[in-house]
Amino acid sequence: MISGGKLSQETRNRILDKGLQVVSRSGLEGLSLGPLAELSGMSKSGLFAHFGSKEEIQISILDHTVEFSKSKVLEPALRSKEGLPRLRSLVKYWMGWSKKAGLPGGCPIAAGLFELDDSKGPVREKLLSMESEWRALLKKFTKDCVDLGELRSDLDLDQFVWELCGIYLVHHTSLRFLKDPKADYRANRSFENLLERSKSKGKRKK
């Protein structure tokens, strides 16, 4: 329903929900406004009238992806005890989150990192900002583990996050592209190995 020349929140959410479904399967560059308008029950000109440009729609869908994923990944993790339980919980919900959330394809953000690596413009800058914020959050969760003495005090936090993101991306491509039935197992094993190498000496298994 459109009121006063502006999209109602319900209509906007419906458009972004449909857009998220499309981007999950076809990528940001694969977003076609004609089919999106049709899926949303609007005209293409009506869609442009409210969003202004394809770039604005792409950025809005990225923002929507963050809000959608929070309820699937971050919020459940925050219910776990601070430190390693919370970090483990975050990684558990993060790995393969798009499939568990019912999206028809993969994670739009992970796909966008490859899709827009050579691009310039506001969509790439938005994606870069989102990835930087996520890595900062991973670093904070890891530092909490260090502060609690669960991970060693001299741990290179940036290296830890770098390796953790590497596990996520390999899991994503193994699950989506290679259809590896052991993708979850290998990702979990890699994460546990990373933790074991990073633990305080007093926390290491004997």
Side-chain angles (χ1 to χ4, degrees):
M1 183 179 205
I2 301 175
S3 176
K6 293 184 179 181
L7 288 176
S8 69
Q9 191 60 48
E10 181 182 355
T11 302
R12 181 181 178 85
N13 286 341
R14 184 177 74 246
I15 293 170
L16 295 178
D17 282 340
K18 297 295 184 183
L20 176 55
Q21 299 281 319
V22 172
V23 169
S24 171
R25 179 173 288 163
S26 304
L28 287 162
E29 292 301 307
L31 180 67
S32 179
L33 299 189
L36 176 59
E38 186 175 346
L39 285 171
S40 305
M42 299 183 68
S43 66
K44 186 175 178 180
S45 60
L47 203 62
F48 262 116
H50 292 290
F51 285 95
S53 68
K54 181 177 178 178
E55 284 184 343
E56 187 176 338
I57 296 176
Q58 289 172 320
I59 290 172
S60 295
I61 290 172
L62 285 174
D63 281 330
H64 192 63
T65 302
V66 171
E67 292 306 311
F68 179 75
S69 66
K70 277 182 181 178
S71 65
K72 310 296 181 181
V73 180
L74 183 57
E75 290 173 7
L78 288 174
R79 291 195 284 269
S80 296
K81 183 180 177 181
E82 189 177 13
L84 275 179
R86 185 171 293 177
L87 180 59
R88 286 181 186 277
S89 183
L90 183 72
V91 171
K92 170 189 171 184
Y93 289 112
W94 180 35
M95 296 291 166
W97 77 268
S98 56
K99 180 180 179 181
K100 290 179 281 190
L103 293 181
C107 171
I109 299 171
L113 298 180
F114 297 99
E115 190 179 7
L116 302 180
D117 57 352
D118 292 322
S119 300
K120 292 183 179 180
V123 180
R124 185 187 188 282
E125 290 304 311
K126 177 65 177 180
L127 196 59
L128 179 60
S129 174
M130 290 167 60
E131 181 66 10
S132 297
E133 288 177 9
W134 176 250
R135 294 192 181 205
L137 181 67
L138 292 175
K139 186 174 180 178
K140 178 189 180 302
F141 275 35
T142 306
K143 187 176 184 302
D144 288 342
C145 297
V146 172
D147 292 342
L148 290 169
E150 297 170 321
L151 299 181
R152 66 176 191 266
S153 59
D154 64 343
L155 182 66
D156 185 334
L157 298 177
D158 291 321
Q159 180 66 27
F160 184 96
V161 170
W162 194 92
E163 292 186 42
L164 183 52
C165 289
I167 293 170
Y168 176 80
L169 291 175
V170 171
H171 175 261
H172 184 270
T173 55
S174 296
L175 194 66
R176 296 288 308 153
F177 185 78
L178 298 175
K179 310 297 183 185
D180 183 356
K182 292 187 175 181
D184 290 342
Y185 165 77
R186 296 195 185 283
N188 290 333
R189 182 178 176 183
S190 295
F191 176 55
E192 289 301 323
N193 286 341
L194 175 60
L195 284 181
E196 191 61 29
R197 288 188 283 109
S198 305
K199 283 182 179 178
S200 299
K201 289 183 179 180
K203 296 287 183 178
R204 287 187 181 276
K205 294 179 182 178
K206 295 182 179 180

